[in-house]
Amino acid sequence: MLQVTGAGAAALLALSACSSSGSDSQSGASSSGGGSGGLSGTVNVFAAASLTESFTELGEEFEKQHPGTEVVFNFGGSDSLAAGITSGAPADVFASASPGTMKVVTDADAAAGTPVTFVRNRLEIATLPGNPDRVASLKDLTGDGLKVVLCDKAVPCGAAAHKALTAAGLELTPVSYEEDVKSALNKVVLKEADAAVVYRTDVEAAGDKVAGVEFPESAKAVNDYPITLLKDAPNADVGEAFIELVRSAEGRKVLTGAGFTAP
Amino acid sequence: MTTPHRTGAAGPRTDGPRRRRQVRGGAPLPLLVPALVGLAFLVLPLVALLIRAPWASMPELLTSTEVWQALRLSLICATAATVVSMVIGVPLAWLLARVEFPGRGLVRALVTLPLVLPPVVGGVALLMALGRNGVVGQWLDSWFGITLPFTTTGVILAEAFVAMPFLVISVEGTLRAADPRYEEAAATLGASRFTAFRRVTLPLIAPGIAAGAVLAWARALGEFGATITFAGNFPGRTQTMPLAVYLALQSDPEAAVALSLVLLAVSVAVLAGLRDRWMTAS
């Protein structure tokens, strides 16, 4: 029975961005499953795209610690995830890349309790491997002849880049405003652009496909990542336990390993 | 003058009378009910867009320069992509319809592949081929200094890639239906193969070309995935309306609805205006 619920939830996840508020009837179906103190059932975690690598690792760890549970992730742009949640997507946990997108969820009264910041992320310049253009600072990106991509201001990484540039008093005309941080990074990975301003974690995740250049102005545009249990969580107990793991010393280790900093 | 019979003199047509044949009496319920469900399914989302539109703030949202920039760019690029499709797509359709060569079935399948390919895949494929580091693109860059990603030309290419199959299919279908004896007659009267194509075939299949062009134009106008993947997003240069809608949705859903309405209105106007005239002729 749980399996069926899980499959249904997974199918709904795929539709999360456009699903309507008809799924509330599902709640309770899986949380009533366990009986004893042990946790079981599927937990749906909506998380910012930049958390993909670290949360996937934590999810596997969680399933190992709690046999009988399954962590299903829906990674995406924080904004579209928030929109999905406020439209009734069946999520238990929401981890966002910015307090602004989290506020969309709390304003809609969809969060259970107050969200907590669990990690911070800062920006870094991603350049071609070996840094052939010798980019050393944010200012170097403003020169002519260098193809730079930024995230669009509508998404958190773009807002942060804008903030850093403003703090540095720099004007930068990119060749493109990308729709999310991964596509900005991939333009450099594919060597179509010479540099991109992305999160440090994305540079880390890309390995040797890009070279990272830190810049001091990134301190002016640090993104807080809040996490919260959701009010209509179909499987609140397991969701709570997953948040505990994320915030534990063990979780912290995985996250800082991916390039995040502790709050 | 607006009936398909405009071109009737050029060849025997059978779809005129067929079009007018109608079911006598009421439609049977087992057909009527699903038909209405189908209609509602397709129209309801569009109606919802109208209902949820922020009518009060519409004038303000729509007079911003970014919107006009995006709309202008969309119209220019869709038109340019259609022209590109016609210039290379019509000869391609002719080749597929009139010339027997080994592997024709495979070529036909390849030509129509972009129809079913996810547009993002098309964008990635274009990057691999024509990107700065692409199979062909690296030579374009080192020999001529031409890079296509992040340019308006890139948008036009991305749109042509997904839109051209519509034109090719439509033109090929029309060519197959058109009687080759007219071309043969022209040939016996001394016309070269190309002259026959230009003076006889082209006028004969003009309605098919027009129908295909309208379809291709509409598809190009709505193209999103390949464009954002291959050409990126920069206001005034590569940000077409669909991209503007997608990004507006991230920060300002009301603006996204307003922009969607503009695109919807333009598409409906063009399709409704041209459909009766051209589409039925194919």
Side-chain angles (χ1 to χ4, degrees):
Chain A
M1 202 46 215
L2 282 176
Q3 295 247 309
V4 175
T5 316
L12 277 168
L13 266 176
L15 296 166
S16 66
C18 40
S19 68
S20 70
S21 52
S23 52
D24 294 22
S25 54
Q26 271 206 340
S27 35
S30 42
S31 51
S32 61
S36 67
L39 298 166
S40 68
T42 303
V43 59
N44 291 314
V45 178
F46 281 31
S50 40
L51 293 165
T52 306
E53 293 82 9
S54 37
F55 266 37
T56 305
E57 194 179 334
L58 286 172
E60 278 161 20
E61 180 60 36
F62 186 83
E63 284 169 7
K64 216 186 301 164
Q65 287 179 10
H66 304 279
T69 64
E70 192 191 354
V71 190
V72 177
F73 289 108
N74 181 16
F75 294 113
S78 301
D79 301 79
S80 35
L81 294 177
I85 290 166
T86 53
S87 326
D92 296 285
V93 175
F94 178 42
S96 148
S98 79
T101 42
M102 182 55 88
K103 194 164 175 292
V104 173
V105 170
T106 49
D107 281 355
D109 208 19
T114 317
V116 282
T117 300
F118 66 104
V119 278
R120 297 206 158 102
N121 208 354
R122 56 198 292 174
L123 297 172
E124 204 170 292
I125 299 166
T127 68
L128 299 175
N131 195 358
D133 300 297
R134 298 212 183 81
V135 175
S137 70
L138 202 54
K139 193 170 185 307
D140 289 348
L141 298 184
T142 60
D144 280 348
L146 210 60
K147 280 187 169 43
V148 181
V149 296
L150 296 179
C151 295
D152 195 85
K153 277 171 217 139
V155 294
C157 64
H162 183 68
K163 224 156 125 191
L165 285 163
T166 312
L170 293 170
E171 290 262 1
L172 169 58
T173 310
V175 289
S176 177
Y177 292 102
E178 293 293 310
E179 75 272 26
D180 64 45
V181 66
K182 292 290 182 199
S183 50
L185 180 81
N186 282 335
K187 291 282 151 71
V188 180
V189 171
L190 293 172
K191 298 193 169 71
E192 294 302 336
D194 301 305
V197 179
V198 294
Y199 293 122
R200 190 207 277 184
T201 50
D202 296 300
V203 174
E204 198 79 34
D208 51 12
K209 292 195 201 90
V210 298
V213 177
E214 294 194 34
F215 57 98
E217 295 89 348
S218 66
K220 301 267 173 32
V222 174
N223 267 26
D224 285 354
Y225 280 54
I227 191 168
T228 188
L229 187 72
L230 296 167
K231 208 178 190 175
D232 294 329
N235 204 351
D237 293 348
V238 188
E240 191 84 63
F242 181 75
I243 295 176
E244 262 170 45
L245 173 68
V246 169
R247 300 188 63 199
S248 70
E250 201 180 351
R252 177 79 32 95
K253 212 173 103 193
V254 170
L255 287 157
T256 49
F260 290 101
T261 49
Chain B
M1 275 311 276
T2 55
T3 63
H5 287 289
R6 246 166 57 89
T7 54
R13 302 201 66 90
T14 53
D15 54 350
R18 195 185 63 213
R19 269 183 73 225
R20 267 172 215 108
R21 192 181 300 154
Q22 286 177 355
V23 179
R24 259 161 234 199
L29 216 56
L31 289 182
L32 192 62
V33 171
L36 290 179
V37 170
L39 181 69
F41 173 64
L42 292 177
V43 174
L44 184 70
L46 307 179
V47 174
L49 210 53
L50 289 172
I51 294 173
R52 297 292 290 272
W55 294 107
S57 47
M58 263 317 233
E60 190 192 333
L61 287 169
L62 294 184
T63 44
S64 80
T65 39
E66 282 214 1
V67 172
W68 284 112
Q69 252 181 358
L71 184 60
R72 214 180 114 243
L73 191 75
S74 276
L75 296 175
I76 291 173
C77 289
T79 308
T82 308
V83 172
V84 169
S85 302
M86 284 167 81
V87 169
I88 55 183
V90 172
L92 181 56
W94 181 83
L95 199 69
L96 289 175
R98 286 285 191 267
V99 182
E100 289 273 3
F101 58 90
R104 185 160 73 161
L106 180 67
V107 173
R108 187 178 292 127
L110 288 175
V111 165
T112 48
L113 202 56
L115 283 179
V116 291
L117 212 59
V120 184
V121 176
V124 175
L126 281 170
L127 272 180
M128 294 306 137
L130 300 173
R132 193 169 63 161
N133 199 37
V135 176
V136 175
Q138 54 181 317
W139 304 113
L140 286 179
D141 186 21
S142 59
W143 289 351
F144 309 106
I146 300 172
T147 53
L148 294 167
F150 311 123
T151 62
T152 308
T153 313
V155 178
I156 294 167
L157 290 179
E159 292 186 351
F161 183 78
V162 291
M164 199 168 77
F166 285 88
L167 183 104
V168 174
I169 284 189
S170 171
V171 175
E172 199 210 337
T174 318
L175 270 169
R176 286 171 169 276
D179 199 328
R181 277 178 305 179
Y182 293 101
E183 292 160 48
E184 282 157 21
T188 56
L189 293 172
S192 74
R193 201 122 198 230
F194 183 61
T195 309
F197 172 76
R198 207 160 43 90
R199 305 288 291 273
V200 177
T201 317
L202 266 191
L204 198 64
I205 61 166
I209 295 177
V214 171
L215 275 179
W217 189 86
R219 179 67 190 88
L221 189 72
E223 160 48 31
F224 169 78
T227 309
I228 201 163
T229 312
F230 181 59
N233 168 62
F234 190 87
R237 195 164 63 219
T238 62
Q239 187 180 71
T240 55
M241 283 295 271
L243 272 59
V245 171
Y246 179 74
L247 285 157
L249 197 58
Q250 315 259 326
S251 55
D252 188 355
E254 281 204 340
V257 174
L259 292 178
S260 304
L261 273 182
V262 176
L263 207 56
L264 185 68
V266 172
S267 310
V268 167
V270 169
L271 287 179
L274 294 179
R275 189 173 166 127
D276 278 342
R277 188 175 177 137
W278 298 114
M279 310 286 264
T280 47
S282 64

